[in-house]
Amino acid sequence: MADVQRHPCYDELAHEVFARMHVAVAPKCNINCNYCNIKYDCVSESRPGVVSRVLSPEEAYRKVQLTAEVLPQLTVVGIAGPGDPLANPVQTLETFRLLSKGMPDVQLCLSTNGLKLPDYVEEIAGYGIRHVTVTMNAVDPGIGGQIYHSIFYRGKAYRGAAAADILISRQLEGIRLTAAQGIKVKVNSVLIPGVNDRHLLEVTRAAKKAGAFSHNIMPLIISPGSRFEQDGRVPPDPRLTLQVQEDSADLMPVMRHCRQCRADAVGLLGEDRIGEEILTKQTVYSPQERELELVRLDSKLQSRRERRGRSSSGGVVTRIAVATRGGGKVNVHFGHAREFLIYEVDGEASRLLGVRKIQAYCNGTAACGESEPDTILKETVDLLGDCSMLFCSGIGALPRETLRKAEIIAVVTKEEIDTLLLKYGRLLSYFSSGAVH
Ligand code: CLF
Ligand code: SF4
């Protein structure tokens, strides 16, 4: 099996079929990002750095074993926090040691800020870790100094640009050394409007030169209580995120389907099941049954690859929003959606442009019974303003009408996304081309 084909983050189509699990064994961090506050814990919020409980390596190992028995599509186990995994090297490496010895059929994944990455490349390679992500938001210390408040390095604290200078050189060195081991290195960057939006192309260039394999540019999520919240900073407009991603995509592959997961996320991307709930009321798979299920999923993925692999007709291009919690199907009611996948389609081909996160419109109050759209509905419709169609598993009269006024057709369906994109892509292309008068 090739390195990335069962990795839901490294392979875009694999995320519809295969699941990942984060084990939160790393509580401490050695840097202070201005958008982060790792003390804040809220299970209804999805963002990096948040967990419900920190596990010991033994607890983490046991949890992965139990989860693999009920979630046969689990192929990747990652350590991504809630602090920095390599600022907690004993816990992180012991967890990887237990997993590499006891569960050789799961791929191991590490996500780090990179400050200590050069010190641990040998151990990382030794435990068979094939995927490493480095979060690198700048390659210019002046810009980095606006993003990192401070770092703690070799017993000393550094601030601002001096901190960023050390961090950036350690990140680039870590990427070079890790990639030289044949490990797939992905770079994550947080897009911060007014700070690094015009600089991320430089980050892509530097990451590529150092040996990284892809770049994941994620819109800023501001933690409550963080310095950026106090400064009144705001997340980027989705159109800015898309533009920055498109610019970088000219240089190297760009990840479009990141869900900015919690440090204890479990499941398909977009369908997180937190805590113990996943371990209850599930069918238990033996190792042989798990292997058979994985082979079945490989062939399901292969047929999706063939369908998506069609080449573009070069015809009229239009955008479609999809409400899904994963599995390649439309399976979320408009009012419950916390994110939409945005696809670009023409008569023959489709490509994922990105994920747009929103506040769910239906919050248990009487919003659906209102006669006028509330702020959340208006913001959601505005966010989808560049789409001509929306697929969801259900929708109320008011949101449907509000979308219609914005010239977005809502289609209620539970079909496979691939089939729908092809069907409606052809239809939209046919009408937009002026074939019908
Ligand atoms: Fe986890 Fe990260 Fe590994 Fe994936 S997440 S450590 S590479 S297994 Fe994935 Fe989540 Fe985005 Fe990370 S969707 S935040 S990129
Ligand atoms: Fe928070 Fe991660 Fe930055 Fe550490 S590296 S401060 S955990 S966002």
Side-chain angles (χ1 to χ4, degrees), residues 7 9-10 20 22 76 78-80 109-111 133 186 188 216 255 257-261 269:
H7 196 305
C9 303
Y10 278 65
R20 55 81 182 93
H22 285 167
V76 174
I79 301 183
C109 195
L110 168 74
S111 179
T133 294
K186 173 167 69 63
N188 281 5
N216 173 22
M255 181 180 179
H257 59 288
C258 176
R259 301 310 211 283
Q260 297 178 264
C261 332
L269 303 190

Side-chain angles (χ1 to χ4, degrees), residues 231-303:
D231 294 348
R233 290 207 173 270
V234 291
D237 183 288
R239 284 156 278 234
L240 175 64
T241 307
L242 183 58
Q243 187 54 55
V244 175
Q245 289 172 335
E246 295 286 59
D247 291 347
S248 289
D250 288 340
L251 293 182
M252 76 191 294
V254 162
M255 181 180 179
R256 310 271 186 167
H257 59 288
C258 176
R259 301 310 211 283
Q260 297 178 264
C261 332
R262 292 165 52 103
D264 60 359
V266 183
L268 294 173
L269 303 190
E271 184 220 32
D272 280 338
R273 289 180 270 180
I274 311 296
E276 310 305 321
E277 99 193 56
I278 196 166
L279 300 178
T280 57
K281 299 183 197 151
Q282 305 271 342
T283 311
V284 172
Y285 289 72
S286 69
Q288 294 75 15
E289 287 168 332
R290 173 174 149 80
E291 188 46 42
L292 279 177
E293 181 62 8
L294 286 171
V295 170
R296 189 187 72 77
L297 293 172
D298 282 337
S299 83
K300 186 173 171 184
L301 181 57
Q302 187 51 34
S303 59

Side-chain angles (χ1 to χ4, degrees), residues 29-33 35-38 48-49 82-84 112-113 148:
C29 193
N30 46 9
I31 73 174
N32 270 306
C33 301
Y35 48 77
C36 177
N37 175 7
I38 59 174
D84 183 70
T112 173
N113 62 39
Y148 309 111

